[in-house]
């Protein structure tokens, strides 16, 4: 094992994609929504840095950001309560092996072979009066990275997100605050593919975090 070994690619490129959505509201109490986002194919030109031995050379790579599909439902039993559920499918199968090619060096392959996964969640919002609202929700995000191509650089695992926060409406202004946490999750990896140096990503990985966000929006 080399403690300072590093493979680093920095590149830039352009692409395009599109979104399409549909909202059906058969009554003030019930709303159904769907959204589709197309995949995006990137061709990136940049530079590879390899340490050791401290090499830098031009390279390029092509990869795809996957398409996704969302279904959602909202139920408003009265004007002060809103209950929502949603489901999202992301085709991470698009994230295959990346092949870096260069006119001045041999090609290099980074294994991904990710798998399609789903996300599901539900939330509730209650209007408190005088412009105040309080929301809370739960979301589960399924793992997309198989054991054979697991890497500490993207230590993916199934996550359970909990969030809560208030919103204040003042005329044309909306001020929202959210606090989110992902309780401790662990994943045991055994049988990952060894690197050329014989290293594997086998081990136990644990994640836990807290985050907060603030949004200030002015409606025209």
């Amino acid at each position: 094992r080399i403690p300072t070994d590093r493979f680093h690619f920095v590149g830039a490129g352009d692409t395009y994609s599109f979104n399409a959505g549909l909202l059906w509201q058969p009554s003030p109490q019930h709303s159904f929504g769907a959204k589709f986002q197309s995949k995006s194919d990137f061709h990136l030109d940049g530079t590879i840095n390899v340490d050791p031995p401290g090499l830098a050379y031009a390279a390029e790579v092509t990869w795809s950001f996957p398409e996704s599909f969302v279904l959602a439902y909202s139920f408003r039993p009265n004007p002060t309560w809103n209950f929502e559920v949603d489901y999202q499918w992301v085709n991470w199968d698009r994230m295959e092996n990346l092949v870096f090619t260069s006119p001045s060096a041999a090609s290099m392959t980074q294994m991904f072979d990710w798998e399609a996964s789903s996300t599901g969640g539900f939330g509730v919002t209650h209007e408190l009066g005088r412009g105040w609202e309080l929301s809370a929700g739960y979301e589960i995000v399924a793992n997309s990275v198989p054991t054979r191509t697991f890497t500490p650089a993207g230590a993916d695992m199934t996550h359970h997100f909990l969030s809560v926060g208030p919103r204040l409406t003042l005329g044309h202004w909306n001020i929202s605050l959210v606090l989110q946490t992902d309780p401790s999750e662990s994943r045991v990896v055994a049988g990952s593919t060894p690197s050329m140096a014989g290293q594997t990503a086998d081990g136990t990985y644990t994640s836990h975090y807290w985050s907060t966000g603030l949004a200030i929006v002015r409606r025209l």
Side-chain angles (χ1 to χ4, degrees):
R1 175 176 174 82
I2 304 173
T4 58
D5 57 347
R6 182 176 70 106
F7 173 85
H8 189 209
F9 173 78
V10 177
D14 297 314
T15 189
Y16 66 90
S17 65
F18 70 88
N19 292 300
L22 178 66
L23 175 64
W24 179 45
Q25 192 172 25
S27 72
Q29 289 78 33
H30 303 278
S31 298
F32 300 86
K35 187 188 78 168
F36 173 78
Q37 178 178 303
S38 69
K39 74 181 182 74
S40 303
D41 296 316
F42 288 86
H43 182 81
L44 304 177
D45 293 296
T47 302
I48 285 178
N49 290 272
V50 182
D51 294 316
L55 297 176
Y57 52 89
E60 59 184 7
V61 66
T62 298
W63 68 287
S64 296
F65 189 82
E67 67 271 30
S68 63
F69 185 72
V70 179
L71 293 173
Y73 167 67
S74 168
F75 172 57
R76 291 181 176 270
N78 58 59
T80 63
W81 286 95
N82 181 29
F83 299 89
E84 299 174 290
V85 295
D86 66 80
Y87 169 83
Q88 176 175 327
W89 174 82
V90 184
N91 188 22
W92 285 114
D93 279 329
R94 299 281 186 189
M95 199 65 173
E96 299 178 343
N97 294 342
L98 299 186
V99 180
F100 298 85
T101 60
S102 172
S104 57
S107 62
M108 300 183 67
T109 300
Q110 174 64 55
M111 294 190 304
F112 284 94
D113 286 334
W114 287 7
E115 300 171 346
S117 63
S118 301
T119 299
F122 62 86
V124 57
T125 298
H126 180 48
E127 295 186 13
L128 304 174
R130 299 193 178 187
W132 285 97
E133 296 179 355
L134 181 64
S135 299
Y138 164 79
E139 185 177 44
I140 179 172
V141 180
N143 168 55
S144 301
V145 181
T147 297
R148 67 182 181 278
T149 58
F150 185 90
T151 169
D156 194 29
M157 61 191 71
T158 298
H159 295 277
H160 301 269
F161 295 102
L162 300 171
S163 59
V164 63
R167 183 173 76 164
L168 175 63
T169 301
L170 296 172
H172 293 284
W173 293 90
N174 287 330
I175 304 172
S176 301
L177 178 68
V178 63
L179 177 66
Q180 187 177 67
T181 183
D182 175 23
S184 294
E185 299 288 339
S186 295
R187 178 179 179 181
V188 178
V189 176
S192 59
T193 303
S195 67
M196 294 181 62
Q199 300 169 325
T200 71
D202 291 358
T204 300
Y205 297 83
T206 301
S207 72
H208 177 73
Y209 82 92
W210 290 86
S211 66
T212 185
L214 174 67
I216 301 176
V217 178
R218 188 183 189 280
R219 296 177 297 172
L220 300 178

